[in-house]
Amino acid sequence: MQRLIYWSGQYLLAAGTMFALLVGIDVLLRGEAFETGWRESLAWAVVSSAIFIGSRYYRASRGASCAMCSHPDTKT
């Protein structure tokens, strides 16, 4: 149950952040109204976050090491 909560939280964090970024780009840079661009931004955020978190889950479940997670050995 704890793994489900962890990965759900990761997904919501990624989707929420990506949605805010995409809406910001649509509204501020492209000049679209929020009412017209939020649906497309939400769809892209949901799909891309699912792919991103799905690949992270797949790698974590197979036990693949993360290059950023391992600390260099400074004693050598």
Side-chain angles (χ1 to χ4, degrees):
M1 181 67 177
Q2 192 172 15
R3 289 180 62 175
L4 176 65
I5 292 171
Y6 173 76
W7 289 108
S8 298
Q10 292 289 304
Y11 176 76
L12 291 175
L13 178 66
T17 305
M18 195 169 304
F19 174 69
L21 179 68
L22 290 173
V23 165
I25 289 172
D26 278 346
V27 171
L28 297 175
L29 295 179
R30 292 178 57 193
E32 285 188 22
F34 178 77
E35 294 82 18
T36 60
W38 74 269
R39 288 182 191 96
E40 184 177 337
S41 297
L42 181 63
W44 278 107
V46 166
V47 170
S48 59
S49 295
I51 293 169
F52 175 68
I53 297 300
S55 67
R56 284 190 60 212
Y57 176 76
Y58 177 73
R59 289 182 57 98
S61 67
R62 297 201 66 207
S65 62
C66 172
M68 289 183 1
C69 299
S70 61
H71 299 288
D73 188 16
T74 58
K75 295 180 181 180
T76 57

